[in-house]
Amino acid sequence: MLKILVASNAGFCFGVKKAVETAQRYAAEPNCYLLGDIIHNRDVVASLEAKGLKKIDGVESLPPLKDGETGKVIIRSHGADKATYDGIRMRGYQIIDATCPFVVKIHDIVYKHYKDGYHIVIIGGADHPEVIATAGWCDNTATVVDNDSDLTELSKYDKLCFVCQTTYDGKKFKEISKKIHKIQAKTVEIFDTICYTTYERQKEAVGLAETSDVVLVVGDKSSSNTNKLYDLCAAKNVNTHFIHSIGELKNINFSRSDVVGIVAGASTPTESIMEVKTYMGQEFGEASNEEFIEAINKATVAIREGKAITGTVLSASADGIRVNVGGKNDGFIDKAEVCEDGEYKPEDYPAGTEITAIVTKKRDDVSGCVLLSKRRADLLRKTDEAVDQIRGGEVFEIVVKKDIKGGLIGSLGTYRVFVPASQIRLKFVPDLKKFVGKTLRLRALDIDDLNRKIVASQRVILQEEKDEKDKKAEIFWDNVKPDVVVAGEVKRISSYGAFVSVDGIDCLAHIDHLSYSHIDSPDEVLEIGKTYDFLVLKTDREKQRVSLGYRELQPHPFDKCMEKHPVGSTVVGKVISVLPYGAFVEIEPGVEGLVHVSEAAATYVKDINEVLHAGDEVNVKVLAYDEQHRKTTLSIRACLDEEKPAAKTTKSAKKVVEESDVYSEKSDNNVFANLLKNVNDDAAEKDKQND
């Protein structure tokens, strides 16, 4: 029959119990607020909220009290900084202090030594609320260190005061203390402020882990002290499980002959521990705590094949490692069973090193040793870690090893993973063989720890992604309208435009809307992989089409041209096209102006093609700009009148000048020509639009 051993120091400590009872007492009072979570346990917090206790995250969240009103603020067990106490009083609220007495002691030490000129160093987790509160009693000037921290920088301080988080690992604190003694400072004071119940709880947990087949650590995973208990137990027993409720017990593989140890953190309610104990007792039987104490005192290790045990290295040679496993026979790890990669180095395992290994044979007939495998223990630990991570629904990946009738097979560590055919894609997959060797993204549907099997699905992930995409598409079409500016990433380029992704929706920026000047390819303006702002020009939700413009958000070349070439200035331009009523001359990229036939030469021109041709470079004078219609009026004649040499005078133009005595009457003196000019201006505009 399975035996259940419950640690005597499991559950609420004195400080936590006091804090919870205080919160329960004031929960129903009006204008009573709790500063943060009273302890790190979701069930306790939910229970208090159900009773009416309102939680706030900071003093700034306190509502102002009306005239005649009173209010209370409960300080949680982790404590608060000095500024918080002052802020509560300034707002007229009464403080109900439920801070753990051991934490209060630390605050007093820090406050006194800080005023005496000491630099405060806190040993603990930088993000733990107790540490954050403690730092507030020295104006947040403290240095927070952990066992991996480099302490050499602290030598610059003359006076140092070390305190420790009450729930910190005692073994790690001793390791840090050794480092502290090497610091070159004039005065160093070290205060061991770890709660004595924490020491006892951790010591008892380690002993329980060494003597049990399975260890259950009961508590909330947000609890720092419970996490430390789990780490300590897992280091001694690879079959250690962190559970929050009895619902998680079904995922654990129990043998009828196992000894199951139950430990719990300081923030775990007695009800949770008893719930687990009662359930286990009803299912498998129950042992008393006296049996637990007796088992620890004996400190013997039950040896059975497949069991993970922890021993101490006696010696390491080229053949393998000899280990003290606590029994009458030593253990031996063959060199091939030390490392998963096979790179065994005896010097990496000095005498005294702790090793966890799997028993492969209770007694070797030749050596008389218990044969062990560290490699298998490492693999199991990694497997358990990987499987624990996916229990909450996290996505994991496998490579498909083979297809079978009804699905695909792969593995996650030592677990066999089965993906039913219906769970591979959103639609039915007729050919499973094409998935062999491929990587699938999966979510576990069922984990069978007893048989080390996992049933998983890729379809649920694909469905979630599709739903999310559909949701984004709805938001997209509801908000993306013409004249809205959007950010989009250029995904690919074609001869007629660029395909742009806006919130995952493909849109098209046509080449005509990329630049004001002529371009041969979109990549002259846009680069694949980069994000730009675009103007929405047109949308068609039914056809799922969106047209974008890039040039519409860029400065128009006409505006730059007006600044660069004001009215009256002369510029060299290139004839783009010649029409009966005049010629269009480009004076800046994308900006063309009209040289009316009457302004094409110094004399009357019967056929403008006799003086101007496409491609000619000519000097032109800017006569006028029409900003509203972005038109430019130019004149070649004005430059000739000023006798300014053209950049390149065409032979046709020279011929007209030389023959000016044939007909020398200027157009501005020709009433008929002036009347035609206005008519031709309108015609030019119509032709320009048709072009």
Side-chain angles (χ1 to χ4, degrees):
M1 178 180 290
L2 184 145
K3 292 185 178 181
I4 306 166
L5 308 176
V6 182
S8 58
N9 285 300
F12 282 174
C13 65
F14 166 75
V16 169
K17 183 179 180 182
K18 171 180 173 289
V20 173
E21 289 176 349
T22 300
Q24 290 173 338
R25 186 162 60 251
Y26 291 97
E29 288 197 12
N31 293 328
C32 185
Y33 298 88
L34 172 63
L35 188 62
D37 292 336
I38 190 70
I39 59 172
H40 284 151
N41 189 284
R42 74 193 83 165
D43 294 335
V44 174
V45 172
S47 173
L48 291 172
E49 289 178 346
K51 293 181 179 180
L53 188 60
K54 298 173 284 294
K55 187 182 75 172
I56 57 172
D57 294 322
V59 177
E60 62 277 0
S61 300
L62 283 172
L65 294 171
K66 299 178 182 178
D67 291 340
E69 276 190 340
T70 60
K72 297 181 177 66
V73 176
I74 301 173
I75 304 293
R76 59 181 174 175
S77 61
H78 304 103
D81 57 20
K82 186 176 183 297
T84 297
Y85 282 80
D86 295 339
I88 294 171
R89 294 189 181 99
M90 286 179 59
R91 286 165 174 76
Y93 281 81
Q94 177 187 350
I95 295 175
I96 307 299
D97 201 344
T99 305
C100 170
F102 293 97
V103 176
V104 173
K105 179 183 177 182
I106 297 175
H107 293 175
D108 292 340
I109 294 171
V110 168
Y111 187 62
K112 176 181 181 300
H113 282 74
Y114 176 64
K115 288 198 300 181
D116 290 342
Y118 283 76
H119 179 72
I120 307 300
V121 183
I122 306 172
I123 302 170
D127 57 353
H128 193 278
E130 179 188 318
V131 174
I132 295 172
T134 300
W137 288 88
C138 59
D139 293 335
N140 294 308
T141 61
T143 299
V144 181
V145 301
D146 205 336
N147 61 310
D148 295 325
S149 301
D150 184 1
L151 306 184
T152 55
E153 283 294 316
L154 296 175
S155 298
K156 64 183 179 182
Y157 298 103
D158 291 333
K159 300 166 70 176
L160 292 170
C161 172
F162 287 80
V163 294
C164 188
Q165 180 182 323
T166 56
T167 56
Y168 197 71
D169 187 335
K171 184 178 180 181
K172 291 181 179 179
F173 174 74
K174 291 178 181 178
E175 293 174 358
I176 296 174
S177 297
K178 294 177 182 177
K179 295 182 182 180
I180 295 173
H181 290 296
K182 297 179 182 179
I183 297 175
Q184 300 298 319
K186 292 181 180 178
T187 307
V188 177
E189 291 199 35
I190 307 172
F191 293 89
D192 182 355
T193 52
I194 297 179
C195 174
Y196 71 89
T197 56
T198 298
Y199 272 126
E200 294 299 320
R201 192 186 303 269
Q202 292 175 354
K203 179 181 176 182
E204 190 177 28
V206 170
L208 183 59
E210 290 176 336
T211 56
S212 300
D213 298 306
V214 182
V215 180
L216 303 179
V217 181
V218 184
D220 197 303
K221 291 188 177 181
S222 65
S223 167
S224 173
N225 71 85
T226 310
N227 273 283
K228 288 181 175 63
L229 288 178
Y230 173 78
D231 291 339
L232 290 169
C233 291
K236 296 294 183 181
N237 190 324
V238 295
N239 202 11
T240 298
H241 303 272
F242 201 147
I243 66 171
H244 178 254
S245 64
I246 60 174
E248 296 170 89
L249 292 174
K250 62 182 178 63
N251 297 321
I252 301 173
N253 179 23
F254 295 101
S255 171
R256 288 285 176 178
S257 61
D258 280 344
V259 175
V260 178
I262 300 177
V263 299
S267 57
T268 304
T270 303
E271 293 82 0
S272 296
I273 302 168
M274 294 306 299
E275 183 180 43
V276 172
K277 180 184 177 183
T278 301
Y279 175 85
M280 295 293 294
Q282 291 174 345
E283 292 291 319
F284 305 103
E286 182 178 359
S288 65
N289 277 355
E290 286 73 18
E291 290 178 272
F292 161 65
I293 296 170
E294 182 182 354
I296 290 183
N297 291 335
K298 288 181 179 179
T300 58
V301 179
I303 304 296
R304 61 180 176 83
E305 293 181 4
K307 176 182 172 64
I309 62 174
T310 299
T312 305
V313 173
L314 295 173
S315 62
S317 66
D319 296 328
I321 306 172
R322 201 172 187 89
V323 183
N324 178 4
V325 293
K328 61 181 181 179
N329 297 320
D330 292 337
F332 182 74
I333 307 174
D334 186 86
K335 62 182 180 181
E337 294 296 324
V338 177
C339 306
E340 192 174 347
D341 56 13
E343 295 183 6
Y344 165 58
K345 296 178 181 179
E347 60 270 22
D348 291 340
Y349 302 93
T353 303
E354 285 190 349
I355 286 184
T356 299
I358 299 293
V359 178
T360 59
K361 193 172 183 179
K362 294 178 65 174
R363 187 178 186 280
D364 179 48
D365 295 335
V366 177
S367 65
C369 293
V370 178
L371 297 185
L372 307 170
S373 173
K374 178 179 175 296
R375 178 184 62 81
R376 285 181 56 186
D378 291 343
L379 179 60
L380 283 172
R381 185 174 64 252
K382 290 179 181 178
T383 297
D384 289 342
E385 290 173 356
V387 173
D388 284 343
Q389 289 176 357
I390 69 171
R391 292 187 193 278
E394 291 80 0
V395 175
F396 67 100
E397 293 184 351
I398 66 161
V399 175
V400 178
K401 293 183 177 180
K402 63 178 180 179
D403 65 295
I404 62 173
K405 184 178 180 180
L408 303 172
I409 296 294
S411 63
L412 181 64
T414 58
Y415 280 67
R416 184 170 180 262
V417 180
F418 173 64
V419 184
S422 62
Q423 298 299 318
I424 301 172
R425 296 290 188 194
L426 293 176
K427 296 182 179 179
F428 175 72
V429 178
D431 183 12
L432 298 178
K433 293 186 181 299
K434 67 179 182 179
F435 290 96
V436 177
K438 304 295 184 181
T439 299
L440 298 183
R441 295 180 301 133
L442 303 171
R443 180 170 289 134
L445 301 179
D446 182 66
I447 300 176
D448 182 353
D449 293 299
L450 179 62
N451 298 301
R452 305 189 82 77
K453 293 180 181 179
I454 299 173
V455 178
S457 169
Q458 181 173 252
R459 178 177 178 172
V460 294
I461 300 173
L462 298 177
Q463 185 63 54
E464 289 173 0
E465 292 175 345
K466 181 180 181 300
D467 293 343
E468 182 64 22
K469 186 176 180 180
D470 292 345
K471 182 180 178 181
K472 287 183 177 179
E474 285 295 320
I475 296 173
F476 175 88
W477 290 109
D478 287 342
N479 292 277
V480 176
K481 308 290 183 184
D483 297 327
V484 171
V485 177
V486 296
E489 180 185 353
V490 179
K491 290 296 187 181
R492 60 188 188 280
I493 284 175
S494 71
S495 59
Y496 54 85
F499 290 92
V500 180
S501 176
V502 179
D503 292 336
I505 306 297
D506 278 345
C507 308
L508 175 65
H510 196 274
I511 191 169
D512 292 342
H513 292 282
L514 297 182
S515 175
Y516 288 108
S517 58
H518 174 75
I519 58 173
D520 295 320
S521 175
D523 58 13
E524 295 179 35
V525 179
L526 304 176
E527 184 177 338
I528 293 177
K530 285 194 174 181
T531 299
Y532 304 86
D533 285 338
F534 295 90
L535 182 70
V536 178
L537 303 177
K538 185 179 179 182
T539 62
D540 188 332
R541 185 167 186 171
E542 184 177 343
K543 295 182 179 179
Q544 299 285 293
R545 292 177 182 174
V546 179
S547 298
L548 304 177
Y550 178 72
R551 75 175 187 179
E552 285 77 6
L553 297 179
Q554 311 309 313
H556 197 284
F558 183 87
D559 299 327
K560 292 184 178 180
C561 183
M562 288 180 60
E563 295 180 9
K564 188 176 181 180
H565 307 295
V567 174
S569 61
T570 301
V571 60
V572 177
K574 182 179 179 180
V575 178
I576 300 300
S577 60
V578 180
L579 300 171
Y581 52 82
F584 287 96
V585 178
E586 185 180 58
I587 57 175
E588 285 292 333
V591 180
E592 298 174 8
L594 174 65
V595 177
H596 192 270
V597 64
S598 63
E599 298 292 337
T603 61
Y604 169 75
V605 176
K606 183 177 181 180
D607 184 359
I608 194 171
N609 288 290
E610 295 179 1
V611 294
L612 293 176
H613 302 91
D616 287 348
E617 288 186 354
V618 293
N619 275 347
V620 294
K621 188 172 186 177
V622 180
L623 298 182
Y625 286 111
D626 181 350
E627 293 185 51
Q628 182 178 357
H629 301 96
R630 299 193 185 279
K631 296 179 183 178
T632 308
T633 304
L634 305 173
S635 173
I636 295 175
R637 189 187 73 176
C639 295
L640 296 174
D641 287 348
E642 295 174 1
E643 296 183 348
K644 291 184 178 180
K648 180 180 179 182
T649 305
T650 65
K651 292 180 180 179
S652 300
K654 286 182 178 180
K655 180 179 179 181
V656 173
V657 174
E658 291 169 355
E659 297 175 353
S660 61
D661 58 334
V662 178
Y663 187 87
S664 60
E665 186 177 10
K666 294 182 179 179
S667 63
D668 56 357
N669 294 321
N670 190 323
V671 176
F672 183 66
N674 285 332
L675 290 173
L676 284 178
K677 181 178 179 180
N678 294 330
V679 175
N680 289 336
D681 279 345
D682 294 337
E685 175 59 26
K686 291 180 180 178
D687 287 346
K688 185 69 173 176
Q689 292 175 354
N690 292 333
D691 288 345

